[in-house]
Amino acid sequence: GAVVSQHPSRVICKSGTSVKIECRSLDFQATTMFWYRQFPKQSLMLMATSNEGSKATYEQGVEKDKFLINHASLTLSTLTVTSAHPEDSSFYICSASTGGEQYFGPGTRLTVT
Amino acid sequence: QKEVEQDPGPLSVPEGAIVSLNCTYSNSAFQYFMWYRQYSRKGPELLMYTYSSGNKEDGRFTAQVDKSSKYISLFIRDSQPSDSATYLCAMSAGGYNFNKFYFGSGTKLNVKP
């Protein structure tokens, strides 16, 4: 149980384009989903917290207009990286919360050329 | 000072050895402590979840929390090559911010056959 999926697993896009990443909780309903980014050999950095039906809460330093988060249902949250630049290249991981524990998706590797 | 400090390793041990992984933290408000295992290019997988001080055992894994020293440990008995991964500690303060996790940078473990 407690399986979280992400799609796509990896994506390459050109600078200036937008990319959408989906995060789904497959066998449970998650009232809260989280988006992290992870640079090589570094820890997970929380970007934003997403509650179903309400606006996401962004961490300090994360541009909300650049990283658009939509939590449309109790099983789906999306992260759209708008006008992507090479410095946005990273490993993006979502997690879904149930009862205080967080279950992580497999991650999406974004490369912006 | 980072909220959570973790030795990045790498830590290399022979198969069958007892492994000790540790994290220190500075925020005395942390009450929930987690250990995650992350294989290369994958999302983190929850291993252990403990509340407050004390020990918790699950199979070959034992988690210890010493709040007075702000120090947590994960012990792996009879280590296997399949345990080779990066181990991340995480913690949260609970209450209103129970979902906000602070991660260590991860310790890379290599178990040699």
Side-chain angles (χ1 to χ4, degrees):
Chain A
V3 177
V4 177
S5 71
Q6 271 183 254
H7 177 81
S9 58
R10 66 191 303 143
V11 57
I12 301 173
C13 71
K14 292 189 175 180
S15 188
T17 62
S18 295
V19 173
K20 181 185 282 189
I21 303 170
E22 290 188 352
C23 176
R24 292 181 186 271
S25 55
L26 298 184
D27 52 1
F28 66 100
Q29 292 186 329
T31 52
T32 307
M33 289 185 171
F34 305 85
W35 288 95
Y36 295 83
R37 65 189 297 182
Q38 186 178 32
F39 291 104
K41 300 186 180 182
Q42 294 189 28
S43 187
L44 283 75
M45 298 300 295
L46 179 65
M47 298 175 66
T49 302
S50 165
N51 291 295
E52 186 263 341
S54 63
K55 290 184 179 179
T57 302
Y58 291 81
E59 294 298 302
Q60 192 172 7
V62 178
E63 299 175 59
K64 62 181 180 181
D65 295 330
K66 181 169 184 62
F67 298 99
L68 300 179
I69 292 171
N70 184 13
H71 195 155
S73 74
L74 287 171
T75 60
L76 172 64
S77 177
T78 60
L79 168 69
T80 302
V81 183
T82 62
S83 186
H85 288 100
E87 57 265 32
D88 298 324
S89 298
S90 188
F91 193 51
Y92 291 87
I93 307 177
C94 73
S95 71
S97 175
T98 172
E101 298 181 19
Q102 288 189 31
Y103 297 92
F104 286 82
T108 297
R109 182 159 301 282
L110 169 64
T111 303
V112 184
T113 60
Chain B
Q1 184 187 12
K2 289 183 183 177
E3 298 266 11
V4 182
E5 298 277 0
Q6 185 175 8
D7 188 334
L11 179 62
S12 189
V13 300
E15 183 175 354
I18 296 174
V19 176
S20 173
L21 303 166
N22 311 294
C23 287
T24 59
Y25 61 95
S26 56
N27 189 345
S28 58
F30 288 148
Q31 298 188 70
Y32 298 88
F33 304 91
M34 286 70 65
W35 284 96
Y36 287 85
R37 177 173 62 196
Q38 186 177 24
Y39 292 110
S40 182
R41 300 175 187 262
K42 301 290 184 185
E45 170 195 9
L46 180 65
L47 284 176
M48 302 287 282
Y49 182 100
T50 55
Y51 170 71
S52 195
S53 285
N55 294 359
K56 185 174 183 178
E57 189 173 317
D58 184 0
R60 295 186 295 112
F61 299 91
T62 299
Q64 284 186 354
V65 175
D66 182 350
K67 290 188 70 179
S68 62
S69 301
K70 298 190 181 70
Y71 187 88
I72 69 171
S73 301
L74 177 70
F75 297 96
I76 306 174
R77 289 184 299 281
D78 188 24
S79 56
Q80 303 295 310
S82 58
D83 294 328
S84 298
T86 296
Y87 289 79
L88 297 155
C89 63
M91 43 200 82
S92 78
Y96 181 77
N97 288 317
F98 80 96
N99 264 326
K100 183 163 183 178
F101 284 16
Y102 294 84
F103 283 86
S105 55
T107 299
K108 188 168 184 178
L109 171 66
N110 180 31
V111 181
K112 298 173 292 185

